């Protein structure tokens, strides 16, 4: 064996810790946390060094690793992010024909214009995004709920201001294998426990306890978060849109989707969002429920 290369879906923080503890791995080409890392990180360990990389997400880059071998093994390497400009790359004709054939029966449904975007709609933030807010607003309106919860994952096509939001846009924002929605009563204490559990999954100081993903998105509820605090101590200042503090013992009507444990009883999320947009005609973000992030001064990820 001239080189050991790990293709990882652990996430950048986990890969960095793994590289410091596990010997014999020369390179890690990683994913999961969507980090576009232009320069590789060289990690020392008891057996030598491991080069850790991550090539971003959504097909924006290809991570290119060139390894040079000498008489005694690896003598050098070069790593770079190769940008992918899809509009400048000719499609493979055979593959394009196959895609066109598969899509043909569904084009009328996918191309249906549901509403017009008033502002830029995207899903890229760690805590929220404007298309996340559209999904949360749809859940609240369609479910007649005070609060909505939406899972924190970041993919889907960005929609420009003034552009028609089609059914395909909604599908590529929401299309998963457990899309069912729910409306149920939750206490303020239970809502806080959910937020604390997700936050610990993201910000635990030990990378091996981080499972990746992003913070659950909220509609109708604001809060503050201190990522560096301990488990159960990160979430505070929880209040409804009208400024009313959330009470631990009080029940609230909550709508959501994407339950992992058991199937929810409601319609799939894409139908809920589509119905909401058809009635709204214009997708307007009245309030973006983004939390206040505490004690992050100097963090290069905060703009």
């Amino acid at each position: 064996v001239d080189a050991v290369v790990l293709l990882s879906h652990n996430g950048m923080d986990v890969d960095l810790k793994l590289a410091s503890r596990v010997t014999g791995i020369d390179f890690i080409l990683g994913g999961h946390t969507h980090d576009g890392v232009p320069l590789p990180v060289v990690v020392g360990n008891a057996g030598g060094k491991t080069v850790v990389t991550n090539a971003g997400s959504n097909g924006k880059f290809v991570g290119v690793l060139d390894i040079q071998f000498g008489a005694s093994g690896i003598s050098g390497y070069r790593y770079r992010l190769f940008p992918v400009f899809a509009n400048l790359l000719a499609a493979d004709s055979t593959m394009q024909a196959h895609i066109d054939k598969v899509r043909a029966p569904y084009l009328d449904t996918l191309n249906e214009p549901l509403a017009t975007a008033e502002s830029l709609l995207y899903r890229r933030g760690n805590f929220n995004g404007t298309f996340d807010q559209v999904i949360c607003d749809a859940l609240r309106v369609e479910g007649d709920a005070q609060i909505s919860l939406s899972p924190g994952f970041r993919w889907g096509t960005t929609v420009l201001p003034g552009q028609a939001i089609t059914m395909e846009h909604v599908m590529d924002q929401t299309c998963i294998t457990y899309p069912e929605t729910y409306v149920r009563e939750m206490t303020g204490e239970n809502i806080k426990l959910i937020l604390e559990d997700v936050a610990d999954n993201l910000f635990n100081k030990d990378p091996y306890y981080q499972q990746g993903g992003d913070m659950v998105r909220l509609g109708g509820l604001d809060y503050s978060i201190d990522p560096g605090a301990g488990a159960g101590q990160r979430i505070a200042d929880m209040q409804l849109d009208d400024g009313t503090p959330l009470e631990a013992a009080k029940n609230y009507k909550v709508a959501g989707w994407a339950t992992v444990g058991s199937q929810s009883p409601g319609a799939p999320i894409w139908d809920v969002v589509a119905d909401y947009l058809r009635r709204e005609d214009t997708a307007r973000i009245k309030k973006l429920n983004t939390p206040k992030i505490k004690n992050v001064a100097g963090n290069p990820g905060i703009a």
Side-chain angles (χ1 to χ4, degrees):
V1 176
D2 295 308
V4 176
V5 181
L6 170 63
L7 303 181
S8 161
H9 202 81
N10 288 325
M12 190 68 179
D13 286 349
V14 175
D15 284 338
L16 290 171
K17 180 175 179 178
L18 184 150
S20 73
R21 295 167 61 89
V22 178
T23 62
I25 301 172
D26 296 300
F27 302 94
I28 298 178
L29 302 179
H32 189 44
T33 44
H34 296 201
D35 299 294
V37 180
L39 295 175
V41 179
V42 181
V43 179
N45 54 52
K49 295 179 179 179
T50 299
V51 177
V52 181
T53 72
N54 201 296
S57 68
N58 299 81
K60 298 187 188 81
F61 302 98
V62 173
V64 181
L65 174 65
D66 297 304
I67 305 173
Q68 184 177 30
F69 296 100
S72 57
I74 298 171
S75 59
Y77 71 92
R78 181 180 67 172
Y79 176 80
R80 58 200 168 110
L81 291 182
F82 192 84
V84 177
F85 298 103
N87 58 321
L88 301 180
L89 299 173
D92 177 87
S93 58
T94 302
M95 180 56 71
Q96 188 62 58
H98 174 68
I99 292 171
D100 292 342
K101 181 180 178 181
V102 170
R103 285 173 55 85
Y106 309 103
L107 285 179
D108 288 345
T109 298
L110 294 174
N111 290 334
E112 179 193 356
L114 302 173
T116 301
E118 183 180 74
S119 57
L120 186 71
L121 300 180
Y122 61 89
R123 280 185 98 189
R124 289 292 178 269
N126 291 108
F127 292 94
N128 207 347
T130 49
F131 214 118
D132 289 296
Q133 194 67 52
V134 169
I135 295 169
C136 286
D137 291 347
L139 284 165
R140 289 180 65 204
V141 170
E142 299 300 307
D144 189 27
Q146 297 166 281
I147 298 167
S148 56
L149 304 175
S150 184
F153 44 65
R154 290 171 288 151
W155 35 254
T157 304
T158 297
V159 181
L160 301 177
Q163 185 178 355
I165 306 169
T166 65
M167 189 63 187
E168 182 162 20
H169 288 132
V170 173
M171 293 295 286
D172 71 24
Q173 297 278 351
T174 61
C175 195
I176 60 173
T177 56
Y178 45 106
E180 296 82 11
T181 56
Y182 63 84
V183 179
R184 64 180 65 148
E185 296 282 324
M186 292 185 188
T187 65
E189 180 182 21
N190 284 338
I191 295 170
K192 184 177 188 295
L193 285 172
I194 289 171
L195 298 184
E196 291 283 8
D197 184 60
V198 178
D200 193 60
N201 187 48
L202 301 175
F203 302 115
N204 194 294
K205 292 183 179 179
D206 186 343
Y208 281 3
Y209 287 96
Q210 298 174 10
Q211 302 302 312
D214 291 288
M215 195 63 189
V216 60
R217 280 68 163 112
L218 293 173
L221 184 67
D222 293 314
Y223 67 98
S224 65
I225 181 170
D226 184 349
Q233 304 298 317
R234 294 183 176 92
I235 307 298
D237 309 316
M238 300 174 68
Q239 60 182 34
L240 300 175
D241 277 355
D242 63 4
T244 304
L246 209 69
E247 300 178 35
K250 186 175 179 179
N251 280 334
Y252 298 90
K253 192 174 181 182
V254 180
W257 66 291
T259 51
V260 176
S262 58
Q263 184 173 328
S264 293
I269 185 63
W270 49 76
D271 285 343
V272 173
V273 175
D275 288 344
Y276 168 77
L277 289 174
R278 289 186 188 104
R279 279 197 299 275
E280 289 291 306
D281 189 55
T282 298
R284 182 173 292 112
I285 306 297
K286 301 178 181 68
K287 177 179 173 59
L288 187 63
N289 291 113
T290 298
K292 179 182 178 182
I293 309 173
K294 296 181 176 179
N295 299 318
V296 291
N299 187 316
I302 302 296

